[in-house]
């Protein structure tokens, strides 16, 4: 399904005068508004191929309708999102949930929708039906060398798919760990994992990155072999320049100071990228910004400050991806909300008065420092983000458009009401 440009134009016309009023007011307070808009326009967030269907919990899964039945249909969905927000021009593939069969055709489809391929993800946390050895007791950490070899080979296979598609990174998330004390020798598990990662690292093309993702718990509940940013950083430092840490916002112990983690990883040149989502209790994979929007802003505040300190390109030098699961909402609406939440936090971080903040910090003026951040966080930048969409041909209100054009009903007509997407 292609979104017709004239439909977006008439949607925008109907909202234009109200939008203009709000935008003109917001813009009048910002001296470098065009430069800010350009940064928002350049900033794209990759959509995970595994989050285009309805998610579930271990208790059940309540399917939606019109879910994508193939990689092609998943790309169609991401193309739809991108047509509406002009900011999700990339897809991150999870193998073997989404194996590209005909590279030329898939690449053509991607270019038709204006999409790039972001990091490719390996999966050694499930057993596939045709798999010889089981990952029940881990993959890259496994006590049995043959299991490790199978997992290494899978990762190398994933890199090969990525090379064909033009990806530039491999994300390794391991469920490896232990569920009971005594089950595992921590040191041996670490060393096996490191050796396995080294072999995969050796197969990376020169211009690739390896993102080492960490997670505090689940599915293992006693220890995780890449359990926190310290462990991830250990692996990344030992592996070399191409390896870096990936921060998934839902993978921390409660109350972790994620913005501080991000600042220090950036300082070390070891921050690779993000999996954005939100959470209240654990790896909830909820809509970005739905629970802790101030935390999201504080993270972006550190990102902008830290990337500028290192002269980095905001849009290109880190991997920006969503990792989410939608149990009760339409996945496409949820993803539109997530992208917008990220853009809002980014836009606000760009507006922080850095000079005033440094001055307040240098003078130990705690109240002023807090005022500066909270004043920016409470600034309504929604019309600025909407203006970025307007200037690039997107919709002023993507969700309103999605509903009024009955996009889900059309997808259901094409794909049926019982289709089930692969993924989470
Ligand atoms: C994990 C982790 C990974 C994702 C899988 C599906 O919790 O967040 O990034 O690939 O879920
Ligand atoms: Mn993740
Ligand atoms: Mn997760």
């Amino acid at each position: 399904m292609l979104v017709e440009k004239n439909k977006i134009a008439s949607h925008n016309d109907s909202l234009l005068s109200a939008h203009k009023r709000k935008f003109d007011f917001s813009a009048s307070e910002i001296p470098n508004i065009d430069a800010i808009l350009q940064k928002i326009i350049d900033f794209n967030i990759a959509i995970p191929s595994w989050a285009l269907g309805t998610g579930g919990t271990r208790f059940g899964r309540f399917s939606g309708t019109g879910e994508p039945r193939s990689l092609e249909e998943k790309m169609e969905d991401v193309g739809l999102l991108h047509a509406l927000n002009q900011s999700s021009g990339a897809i991150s593939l999870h193998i073997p949930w989404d194996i590209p069969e005909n590279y030329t055709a898939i690449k053509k489809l991607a270019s038709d929708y204006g999409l790039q391929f972001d990091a490719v993800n390996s999966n050694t946390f499930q057993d596939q039906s045709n798999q010889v050895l089981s990952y029940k007791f881990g993959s890259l950490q496994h006590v049995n060398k043959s299991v490790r070899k199978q997992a290494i080979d899978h990762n190398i296979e994933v890199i090969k798919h990525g090379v064909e598609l033009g990806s530039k990174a491999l994300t390794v998330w391991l469920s490896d760990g232990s569920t009971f004390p005594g089950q595992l020798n921590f040191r041996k598990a670490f060393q096996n994992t490191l050796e396995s990662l080294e072999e995969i690292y050796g197969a990376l093309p020169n211009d690739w990155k390896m993102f080492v993702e960490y997670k505090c718990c689940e599915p293992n509940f006693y220890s995780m072999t890449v359990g926190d940013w310290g462990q991830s950083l250990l692996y990344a430092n030992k592996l070399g320049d191409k390896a870096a840490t990936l921060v998934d916002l839902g993978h921390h112990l409660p109350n972790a100071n994620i913005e501080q983690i991000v600042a220090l990883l950036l300082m070390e040149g070891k921050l690779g990228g993000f999996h954005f989502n939100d959470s209240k209790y654990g790896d909830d994979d909820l809509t970005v910004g739905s629970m802790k929007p101030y935390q999201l802003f504080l993270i972006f505040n550190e990102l902008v400050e830290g990337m500028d300190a290192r002269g980095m390109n905001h849009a290109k030098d880190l991997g920006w991806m969503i990792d989410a699961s939608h149990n009760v909402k339409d996945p496409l609406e949820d993803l539109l909300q997530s992208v917008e939440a990220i853009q809002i936090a980014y836009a606000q971080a760009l507006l922080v008065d850095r000079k005033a903040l440094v001055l307040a910090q240098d003078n130990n003026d705690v109240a002023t420092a807090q005022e500066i951040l909270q004043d920016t966080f409470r600034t309504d930048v929604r019309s600025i983000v909407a203006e970025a969409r307007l200037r690039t041909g997107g919709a002023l209100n993507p969700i309103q458009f999605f509903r009024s054009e009955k996009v889900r009903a059309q997808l259901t007509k094409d794909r049926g009401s019982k289709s089930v997407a692969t993924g989470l």
Side-chain angles (χ1 to χ4, degrees):
M1 187 193 157
L2 279 175
V3 185
E4 290 161 43
K5 287 215 164 1
N6 63 333
K7 288 204 170 141
I8 292 187
S10 63
H11 159 91
N12 287 346
D13 281 350
S14 70
L15 300 176
L16 201 59
S17 60
H19 164 71
K20 246 194 124 326
R21 255 196 330 274
K22 291 183 201 151
F23 175 70
D24 287 344
F25 172 73
S26 300
S28 68
E29 310 255 295
I30 305 168
N32 52 343
I33 183 69
D34 284 315
I36 300 275
L37 278 167
Q38 194 53 51
K39 288 198 167 137
I40 300 169
I41 288 168
D42 292 342
F43 197 85
N44 269 254
I45 300 115
I47 303 295
S49 71
W50 61 99
L52 293 159
T54 314
T57 67
R58 65 196 166 110
F59 299 100
R61 181 184 193 272
F62 303 95
S63 287
T65 64
E67 292 189 14
R69 294 163 296 184
S70 60
L71 174 55
E72 287 78 359
E73 289 184 352
K74 289 181 174 188
M75 291 175 62
E76 182 184 15
D77 279 9
V78 182
L80 256 164
L81 297 175
H82 190 46
L84 297 185
N85 64 21
Q86 293 298 317
S87 294
S88 40
I91 182 168
S92 181
L93 297 191
H94 223 306
I95 311 278
W97 285 333
D98 296 292
I99 298 184
E101 261 142 34
N102 180 338
Y103 297 125
T104 319
I106 289 290
K107 281 202 289 197
K108 162 87 174 55
L109 203 58
S111 90
D112 290 349
Y113 293 131
L115 306 179
Q116 314 268 337
F117 290 94
D118 213 299
V120 278
N121 300 255
S122 57
N123 177 343
T124 59
F125 47 86
Q126 289 177 323
D127 285 348
Q128 308 302 323
S129 54
N130 56 351
Q131 195 176 307
V132 181
L133 301 165
S134 173
Y135 295 135
K136 181 169 179 180
F137 297 106
S139 58
L140 299 185
Q141 73 167 17
H142 205 281
V143 289
N144 178 343
K145 195 169 190 319
S146 314
V147 180
R148 302 204 293 274
K149 167 102 175 51
Q150 177 181 280
I152 292 165
D153 290 347
H154 165 69
N155 275 275
I156 294 173
E157 192 65 35
V158 174
I159 296 173
K160 285 187 185 147
H161 287 301
V163 167
E164 293 293 340
L165 297 174
S167 290
K168 293 284 174 226
L170 168 74
T171 299
V172 182
W173 174 69
L174 299 175
S175 66
D176 292 38
S178 65
T179 294
F180 294 99
Q183 183 186 334
L184 204 66
N185 178 305
F186 297 136
R187 188 167 33 80
K188 284 187 189 160
F190 183 95
Q191 278 161 356
N192 281 342
T193 304
L194 178 62
E195 273 173 33
S196 305
L197 286 172
E198 276 165 353
E199 280 201 46
I200 301 164
Y201 188 90
L204 278 184
N206 282 340
D207 59 343
W208 271 52
K209 292 245 165 218
M210 180 195 275
F211 297 148
V212 183
E213 183 174 356
Y214 59 89
K215 181 170 173 178
C216 61
C217 55
E218 196 205 14
N220 275 297
F221 291 116
Y222 173 59
S223 72
M224 291 288 277
T225 297
V226 195
D228 62 19
W229 71 285
Q231 285 161 316
S232 167
L233 184 61
L234 265 185
Y235 290 109
N237 277 338
K238 288 174 193 287
L239 286 166
D241 288 348
K242 289 187 272 179
T245 295
L246 183 134
V247 177
D248 180 315
L249 297 186
H251 286 190
H252 302 84
L253 289 168
N255 303 327
N257 187 334
I258 304 176
E259 52 272 26
Q260 186 181 18
I261 294 171
V262 166
L264 297 185
L265 285 172
L266 251 180
M267 177 184 81
E268 292 297 289
K270 279 296 189 184
L271 182 62
F274 273 85
H275 274 177
F276 289 110
N277 49 47
D278 211 342
S279 74
K280 189 157 174 68
Y281 300 107
D283 191 23
D284 307 346
D285 277 335
L286 301 174
T287 322
V288 182
S290 59
M291 291 287 165
K292 300 171 199 145
Y294 191 46
Q295 173 182 268
L296 184 66
F297 161 72
L298 293 175
I299 290 169
F300 267 98
N301 178 49
E302 295 303 329
L303 282 168
V304 167
E305 197 270 342
M307 285 190 289
D308 287 348
R310 294 177 68 88
M312 291 166 72
N313 179 319
H314 295 183
K316 295 201 166 66
D317 290 350
L318 293 177
W320 305 113
M321 296 165 275
I322 289 173
D323 182 3
S325 171
H326 329 281
N327 302 341
V328 295
K329 283 195 273 180
D330 184 308
L332 293 179
E333 293 189 356
D334 201 333
L335 288 162
L336 287 171
Q337 290 178 315
S338 281
V339 172
E340 174 130 15
I342 293 166
Q343 291 178 297
I344 287 172
Y346 176 50
Q348 288 174 326
L350 293 172
L351 297 182
V352 170
D353 187 339
R354 302 260 155 229
K355 278 199 193 121
L357 184 59
V358 170
L359 199 65
Q361 289 168 343
D362 287 348
N363 289 314
N364 294 315
D365 186 348
V366 185
T368 300
Q370 181 190 338
E371 283 296 305
I372 291 166
L373 290 187
Q374 291 197 338
D375 182 51
T376 316
F377 173 65
R378 288 168 179 148
T379 303
D380 186 356
V381 297
R382 287 174 299 174
S383 68
I384 296 170
V385 171
E387 178 71 13
R389 281 196 294 272
L390 185 67
R391 292 194 185 183
T392 47
L396 274 173
N397 187 329
I399 291 186
Q400 191 178 313
F401 182 96
F402 184 86
R403 293 210 168 180
S404 63
E405 289 303 313
K406 300 195 172 33
V407 175
R408 181 56 65 187
Q410 287 193 54
L411 293 174
T412 305
K413 208 167 128 243
D414 294 347
R415 302 168 180 175
S417 53
K418 297 248 177 302
S419 56
V420 174
T422 50
L424 271 185

